[in-house]
């Protein structure tokens, strides 16, 4: 990716891989980084994802789980938070365990626009596609602003890595690190007419971030984490209400897309898709 590259198209170059787990590292509260061994490489843009499932799972859970890529290449990585059976099993996986990975999938981040100041807003595990983006920006000599929020200081995996490539403002709900509060408590002060916002995190956080950008007429992309069964447009299981009526399918139109295209609930101050 280069900073001025054209809009990312949904990947139809995805492959079904069967690869061993190289490493698992535990970070903070219930977070794990999994690295896989892909000798011929998994090329990916920031914001793209993979469908992940260990071959040892049997029939339960039956479906693979969508995970944003932290990196592509010969040792692609994912960062996961344990929330249910699939992520619990991934968080206990041992090196050598065989996984099926399907990817790279979906549309990554568009741009960023060379004339705008990128402002990345991450909540918890939403850091993954944004750290990938920040590293790409750094490799082309750009240093984005970033706001990174978690419930506590143990809910900020990769904050040190983010600080290497971005000017970071931290918030925690309990005040154990950075400003006590939420990412939106800092956002208004950092937004300027030249900003371009990229956000990933809990839906309510992204809706609030999008709302702030609508109020200032600043472009904003979100990375959607809608539940997904296939990841490549077959099951129609990832619908998101669209401002233009009907639905967007998150795995094909997204996961990264213009916040103005989404009919947010609760409603925001958006003025419609452009
Ligand atoms: C494109 C995309 C990228 C993602 N990237 C990451 C990532 O980098 N790291 C990460 O930890 N997670 C990511 N997720 C979310 C992740 O896929 C889910 O947390 C995972 O599928 C849960 O599986 P499970 O079997 O552990 O939980 P389940 O047993 O399936 O569910 C446990 C609980 O989590 C809720 N849940 C399940 N999926 C989601 C979801 N997508 N959003 C909100 N709540 C959910 C369920 O409603 C339930 O309450 C991503 C999702 C998408 C669509
Ligand atoms: S997850 Fe199957 S169509 Fe989107």
């Amino acid at each position: 990716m280069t900073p001025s590259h054209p809009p990312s198209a949904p990947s139809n170059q995805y492959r079904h891989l069967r690869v061993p787990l190289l490493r698992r590292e535990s970070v903070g509260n219930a977070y794990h980084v999994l690295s896989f061994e892909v000798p011929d490489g998994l090329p990916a843009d920031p914001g793209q994802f993979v469908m992940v499932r260990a071959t040892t799972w049997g029939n339960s859970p039956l479906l693979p789980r969508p995970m944003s890529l932290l990196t592509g290449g010969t040792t692609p990585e994912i960062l996961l938070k344990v929330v249910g059976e699939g992520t619990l099993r991934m968080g206990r996986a041992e090196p050598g365990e065989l996984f099926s990975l399907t990817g790279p999938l979906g549309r990554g981040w568009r741009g960023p626009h060379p004339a705008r100041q990128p402002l990345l807003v991450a909540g918890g595990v939403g850091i993954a596609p944004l750290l990938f983006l920040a590293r790409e920006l750094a490799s082309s000599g750009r240093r984005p602003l970033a706001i990174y929020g978690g419930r506590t200081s143990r809910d900020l995996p990769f904050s040190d890595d983010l600080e290497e490539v971005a000017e970071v403002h931290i918030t925690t709900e309990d005040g154990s690190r950075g400003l006590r509060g939420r990412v939106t408590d800092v956002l208004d002060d950092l937004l300027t007419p030249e900003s371009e916002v990229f956000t990933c995190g809990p839906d309510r956080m992204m809706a609030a971030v999008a709302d702030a950008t609508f109020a200032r007429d600043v472009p904003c992309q979100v990375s959607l984490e809608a539940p997904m069964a296939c990841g490549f447009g077959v099951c129609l299981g990832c619908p998101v209400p669209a401002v233009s009526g009907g639905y967007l399918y998150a795995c094909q139109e997204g996961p990264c897309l213009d916040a103005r295209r989404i009919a947010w609930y609760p409603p925001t101050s958006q003025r419609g898709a452009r």
Side-chain angles (χ1 to χ4, degrees), residues 224-248:
L224 297 172
E225 294 198 349
M228 292 180 183
C230 72
F232 43 81
V234 172
C235 71
L236 305 185
C238 57
V240 176
V243 155
S244 55
Y247 294 93
L248 300 164

PDB file of all heavy atoms in Angstrom, residues 224-248:
ATOM      1  N   LEU A 224     -15.633  -2.561  10.351  1.00  0.00           N
ATOM      2  CA  LEU A 224     -16.779  -3.231  10.972  1.00  0.00           C
ATOM      3  C   LEU A 224     -16.405  -4.624  11.471  1.00  0.00           C
ATOM      4  O   LEU A 224     -15.684  -5.349  10.792  1.00  0.00           O
ATOM      5  CB  LEU A 224     -17.911  -3.360   9.961  1.00  0.00           C
ATOM      6  CG  LEU A 224     -18.488  -2.044   9.452  1.00  0.00           C
ATOM      7  CD1 LEU A 224     -19.453  -2.328   8.306  1.00  0.00           C
ATOM      8  CD2 LEU A 224     -19.196  -1.301  10.573  1.00  0.00           C
ATOM      9  N   GLU A 225     -16.934  -4.975  12.640  1.00  0.00           N
ATOM     10  CA  GLU A 225     -16.702  -6.330  13.156  1.00  0.00           C
ATOM     11  C   GLU A 225     -18.023  -7.084  13.254  1.00  0.00           C
ATOM     12  O   GLU A 225     -18.334  -7.690  14.288  1.00  0.00           O
ATOM     13  CB  GLU A 225     -15.954  -6.273  14.490  1.00  0.00           C
ATOM     14  CG  GLU A 225     -14.543  -5.726  14.306  1.00  0.00           C
ATOM     15  CD  GLU A 225     -13.598  -6.033  15.442  1.00  0.00           C
ATOM     16  OE1 GLU A 225     -14.067  -6.505  16.490  1.00  0.00           O
ATOM     17  OE2 GLU A 225     -12.399  -5.791  15.261  1.00  0.00           O
ATOM     18  N   ALA A 226     -18.807  -7.045  12.161  1.00  0.00           N
ATOM     19  CA  ALA A 226     -20.072  -7.791  12.131  1.00  0.00           C
ATOM     20  C   ALA A 226     -19.776  -9.287  12.189  1.00  0.00           C
ATOM     21  O   ALA A 226     -18.783  -9.744  11.623  1.00  0.00           O
ATOM     22  CB  ALA A 226     -20.798  -7.477  10.833  1.00  0.00           C
ATOM     23  N   PRO A 227     -20.618 -10.063  12.869  1.00  0.00           N
ATOM     24  CA  PRO A 227     -20.418 -11.517  12.843  1.00  0.00           C
ATOM     25  C   PRO A 227     -20.400 -12.032  11.398  1.00  0.00           C
ATOM     26  O   PRO A 227     -21.151 -11.545  10.561  1.00  0.00           O
ATOM     27  CB  PRO A 227     -21.636 -12.060  13.600  1.00  0.00           C
ATOM     28  CG  PRO A 227     -22.055 -10.929  14.474  1.00  0.00           C
ATOM     29  CD  PRO A 227     -21.756  -9.678  13.694  1.00  0.00           C
ATOM     30  N   MET A 228     -19.514 -12.955  11.092  1.00  0.00           N
ATOM     31  CA  MET A 228     -19.365 -13.469   9.725  1.00  0.00           C
ATOM     32  C   MET A 228     -19.248 -14.992   9.748  1.00  0.00           C
ATOM     33  O   MET A 228     -18.579 -15.534  10.620  1.00  0.00           O
ATOM     34  CB  MET A 228     -18.101 -12.915   9.079  1.00  0.00           C
ATOM     35  CG  MET A 228     -18.155 -11.444   8.804  1.00  0.00           C
ATOM     36  SD  MET A 228     -16.623 -10.895   8.032  1.00  0.00           S
ATOM     37  CE  MET A 228     -16.944  -9.138   7.928  1.00  0.00           C
ATOM     38  N   ALA A 229     -19.869 -15.628   8.749  1.00  0.00           N
ATOM     39  CA  ALA A 229     -19.768 -17.087   8.660  1.00  0.00           C
ATOM     40  C   ALA A 229     -18.796 -17.529   7.575  1.00  0.00           C
ATOM     41  O   ALA A 229     -18.001 -18.447   7.776  1.00  0.00           O
ATOM     42  CB  ALA A 229     -21.142 -17.694   8.409  1.00  0.00           C
ATOM     43  N   CYS A 230     -18.850 -16.879   6.383  1.00  0.00           N
ATOM     44  CA  CYS A 230     -17.960 -17.322   5.301  1.00  0.00           C
ATOM     45  C   CYS A 230     -16.796 -16.358   5.085  1.00  0.00           C
ATOM     46  O   CYS A 230     -15.684 -16.782   4.859  1.00  0.00           O
ATOM     47  CB  CYS A 230     -18.744 -17.530   4.002  1.00  0.00           C
ATOM     48  SG  CYS A 230     -19.286 -16.005   3.206  1.00  0.00           S
ATOM     49  N   GLY A 231     -17.066 -15.039   5.093  1.00  0.00           N
ATOM     50  CA  GLY A 231     -16.018 -14.041   4.891  1.00  0.00           C
ATOM     51  C   GLY A 231     -15.809 -13.646   3.448  1.00  0.00           C
ATOM     52  O   GLY A 231     -15.017 -12.739   3.170  1.00  0.00           O
ATOM     53  N   PHE A 232     -16.511 -14.301   2.496  1.00  0.00           N
ATOM     54  CA  PHE A 232     -16.264 -13.940   1.090  1.00  0.00           C
ATOM     55  C   PHE A 232     -17.545 -13.855   0.259  1.00  0.00           C
ATOM     56  O   PHE A 232     -17.554 -14.169  -0.933  1.00  0.00           O
ATOM     57  CB  PHE A 232     -15.237 -14.864   0.438  1.00  0.00           C
ATOM     58  CG  PHE A 232     -15.409 -16.331   0.755  1.00  0.00           C
ATOM     59  CD1 PHE A 232     -16.331 -17.102   0.080  1.00  0.00           C
ATOM     60  CD2 PHE A 232     -14.633 -16.921   1.738  1.00  0.00           C
ATOM     61  CE1 PHE A 232     -16.485 -18.452   0.376  1.00  0.00           C
ATOM     62  CE2 PHE A 232     -14.772 -18.263   2.044  1.00  0.00           C
ATOM     63  CZ  PHE A 232     -15.709 -19.038   1.358  1.00  0.00           C
ATOM     64  N   GLY A 233     -18.660 -13.433   0.868  1.00  0.00           N
ATOM     65  CA  GLY A 233     -19.831 -13.035   0.085  1.00  0.00           C
ATOM     66  C   GLY A 233     -20.794 -14.143  -0.281  1.00  0.00           C
ATOM     67  O   GLY A 233     -21.647 -13.939  -1.142  1.00  0.00           O
ATOM     68  N   VAL A 234     -20.718 -15.287   0.356  1.00  0.00           N
ATOM     69  CA  VAL A 234     -21.577 -16.404  -0.033  1.00  0.00           C
ATOM     70  C   VAL A 234     -22.785 -16.580   0.908  1.00  0.00           C
ATOM     71  O   VAL A 234     -23.900 -16.825   0.462  1.00  0.00           O
ATOM     72  CB  VAL A 234     -20.748 -17.715  -0.073  1.00  0.00           C
ATOM     73  CG1 VAL A 234     -21.649 -18.914  -0.277  1.00  0.00           C
ATOM     74  CG2 VAL A 234     -19.711 -17.631  -1.178  1.00  0.00           C
ATOM     75  N   CYS A 235     -22.577 -16.401   2.206  1.00  0.00           N
ATOM     76  CA  CYS A 235     -23.639 -16.779   3.169  1.00  0.00           C
ATOM     77  C   CYS A 235     -24.641 -15.658   3.429  1.00  0.00           C
ATOM     78  O   CYS A 235     -25.708 -15.909   3.972  1.00  0.00           O
ATOM     79  CB  CYS A 235     -23.015 -17.230   4.482  1.00  0.00           C
ATOM     80  SG  CYS A 235     -22.258 -15.894   5.438  1.00  0.00           S
ATOM     81  N   LEU A 236     -24.333 -14.408   3.065  1.00  0.00           N
ATOM     82  CA  LEU A 236     -25.166 -13.228   3.345  1.00  0.00           C
ATOM     83  C   LEU A 236     -25.438 -13.092   4.846  1.00  0.00           C
ATOM     84  O   LEU A 236     -26.500 -12.622   5.263  1.00  0.00           O
ATOM     85  CB  LEU A 236     -26.473 -13.265   2.542  1.00  0.00           C
ATOM     86  CG  LEU A 236     -26.324 -13.409   1.021  1.00  0.00           C
ATOM     87  CD1 LEU A 236     -27.684 -13.312   0.337  1.00  0.00           C
ATOM     88  CD2 LEU A 236     -25.372 -12.363   0.441  1.00  0.00           C
ATOM     89  N   GLY A 237     -24.463 -13.471   5.632  1.00  0.00           N
ATOM     90  CA  GLY A 237     -24.638 -13.469   7.089  1.00  0.00           C
ATOM     91  C   GLY A 237     -24.056 -12.249   7.775  1.00  0.00           C
ATOM     92  O   GLY A 237     -23.987 -12.231   9.003  1.00  0.00           O
ATOM     93  N   CYS A 238     -23.627 -11.238   7.014  1.00  0.00           N
ATOM     94  CA  CYS A 238     -22.945 -10.100   7.645  1.00  0.00           C
ATOM     95  C   CYS A 238     -23.587  -8.775   7.243  1.00  0.00           C
ATOM     96  O   CYS A 238     -22.878  -7.813   6.947  1.00  0.00           O
ATOM     97  CB  CYS A 238     -21.467 -10.105   7.256  1.00  0.00           C
ATOM     98  SG  CYS A 238     -21.207 -10.061   5.456  1.00  0.00           S
ATOM     99  N   PRO A 239     -24.959  -8.692   7.222  1.00  0.00           N
ATOM    100  CA  PRO A 239     -25.580  -7.458   6.750  1.00  0.00           C
ATOM    101  C   PRO A 239     -25.464  -6.321   7.761  1.00  0.00           C
ATOM    102  O   PRO A 239     -25.555  -6.544   8.966  1.00  0.00           O
ATOM    103  CB  PRO A 239     -27.056  -7.866   6.574  1.00  0.00           C
ATOM    104  CG  PRO A 239     -27.266  -8.949   7.569  1.00  0.00           C
ATOM    105  CD  PRO A 239     -25.947  -9.686   7.676  1.00  0.00           C
ATOM    106  N   VAL A 240     -25.267  -5.115   7.240  1.00  0.00           N
ATOM    107  CA  VAL A 240     -25.202  -3.904   8.058  1.00  0.00           C
ATOM    108  C   VAL A 240     -26.157  -2.905   7.401  1.00  0.00           C
ATOM    109  O   VAL A 240     -26.064  -2.686   6.187  1.00  0.00           O
ATOM    110  CB  VAL A 240     -23.755  -3.331   8.048  1.00  0.00           C
ATOM    111  CG1 VAL A 240     -23.685  -2.029   8.817  1.00  0.00           C
ATOM    112  CG2 VAL A 240     -22.778  -4.349   8.614  1.00  0.00           C
ATOM    113  N   PRO A 241     -27.094  -2.296   8.157  1.00  0.00           N
ATOM    114  CA  PRO A 241     -28.047  -1.365   7.540  1.00  0.00           C
ATOM    115  C   PRO A 241     -27.324  -0.204   6.851  1.00  0.00           C
ATOM    116  O   PRO A 241     -26.398   0.372   7.414  1.00  0.00           O
ATOM    117  CB  PRO A 241     -28.883  -0.864   8.722  1.00  0.00           C
ATOM    118  CG  PRO A 241     -28.669  -1.845   9.816  1.00  0.00           C
ATOM    119  CD  PRO A 241     -27.308  -2.454   9.595  1.00  0.00           C
ATOM    120  N   ALA A 242     -27.763   0.101   5.613  1.00  0.00           N
ATOM    121  CA  ALA A 242     -27.116   1.149   4.823  1.00  0.00           C
ATOM    122  C   ALA A 242     -27.982   2.408   4.807  1.00  0.00           C
ATOM    123  O   ALA A 242     -29.208   2.325   4.796  1.00  0.00           O
ATOM    124  CB  ALA A 242     -26.909   0.669   3.388  1.00  0.00           C
ATOM    125  N   VAL A 243     -27.333   3.569   4.795  1.00  0.00           N
ATOM    126  CA  VAL A 243     -28.037   4.853   4.716  1.00  0.00           C
ATOM    127  C   VAL A 243     -28.892   4.920   3.449  1.00  0.00           C
ATOM    128  O   VAL A 243     -29.993   5.469   3.441  1.00  0.00           O
ATOM    129  CB  VAL A 243     -27.007   6.006   4.741  1.00  0.00           C
ATOM    130  CG1 VAL A 243     -27.527   7.260   4.085  1.00  0.00           C
ATOM    131  CG2 VAL A 243     -26.597   6.292   6.161  1.00  0.00           C
ATOM    132  N   SER A 244     -28.393   4.324   2.371  1.00  0.00           N
ATOM    133  CA  SER A 244     -29.104   4.385   1.090  1.00  0.00           C
ATOM    134  C   SER A 244     -30.276   3.409   1.021  1.00  0.00           C
ATOM    135  O   SER A 244     -30.943   3.295   0.008  1.00  0.00           O
ATOM    136  CB  SER A 244     -28.114   4.082  -0.038  1.00  0.00           C
ATOM    137  OG  SER A 244     -27.485   2.842   0.225  1.00  0.00           O
ATOM    138  N   GLY A 245     -30.540   2.685   2.126  1.00  0.00           N
ATOM    139  CA  GLY A 245     -31.597   1.673   2.156  1.00  0.00           C
ATOM    140  C   GLY A 245     -30.986   0.299   1.974  1.00  0.00           C
ATOM    141  O   GLY A 245     -29.898   0.154   1.403  1.00  0.00           O
ATOM    142  N   GLY A 246     -31.671  -0.727   2.462  1.00  0.00           N
ATOM    143  CA  GLY A 246     -31.143  -2.090   2.335  1.00  0.00           C
ATOM    144  C   GLY A 246     -29.918  -2.288   3.215  1.00  0.00           C
ATOM    145  O   GLY A 246     -29.748  -1.626   4.242  1.00  0.00           O
ATOM    146  N   TYR A 247     -29.070  -3.189   2.747  1.00  0.00           N
ATOM    147  CA  TYR A 247     -27.931  -3.588   3.580  1.00  0.00           C
ATOM    148  C   TYR A 247     -26.632  -3.560   2.791  1.00  0.00           C
ATOM    149  O   TYR A 247     -26.611  -3.757   1.584  1.00  0.00           O
ATOM    150  CB  TYR A 247     -28.153  -5.008   4.108  1.00  0.00           C
ATOM    151  CG  TYR A 247     -29.317  -5.082   5.059  1.00  0.00           C
ATOM    152  CD1 TYR A 247     -30.590  -5.399   4.600  1.00  0.00           C
ATOM    153  CD2 TYR A 247     -29.137  -4.803   6.402  1.00  0.00           C
ATOM    154  CE1 TYR A 247     -31.665  -5.448   5.474  1.00  0.00           C
ATOM    155  CE2 TYR A 247     -30.202  -4.844   7.289  1.00  0.00           C
ATOM    156  CZ  TYR A 247     -31.465  -5.168   6.818  1.00  0.00           C
ATOM    157  OH  TYR A 247     -32.516  -5.196   7.680  1.00  0.00           O
ATOM    158  N   LEU A 248     -25.546  -3.358   3.542  1.00  0.00           N
ATOM    159  CA  LEU A 248     -24.191  -3.565   3.030  1.00  0.00           C
ATOM    160  C   LEU A 248     -23.714  -4.897   3.598  1.00  0.00           C
ATOM    161  O   LEU A 248     -24.040  -5.210   4.738  1.00  0.00           O
ATOM    162  CB  LEU A 248     -23.255  -2.494   3.571  1.00  0.00           C
ATOM    163  CG  LEU A 248     -23.559  -1.044   3.243  1.00  0.00           C
ATOM    164  CD1 LEU A 248     -22.765  -0.130   4.174  1.00  0.00           C
ATOM    165  CD2 LEU A 248     -23.140  -0.817   1.800  1.00  0.00           C
TER     166      LEU A 248
END
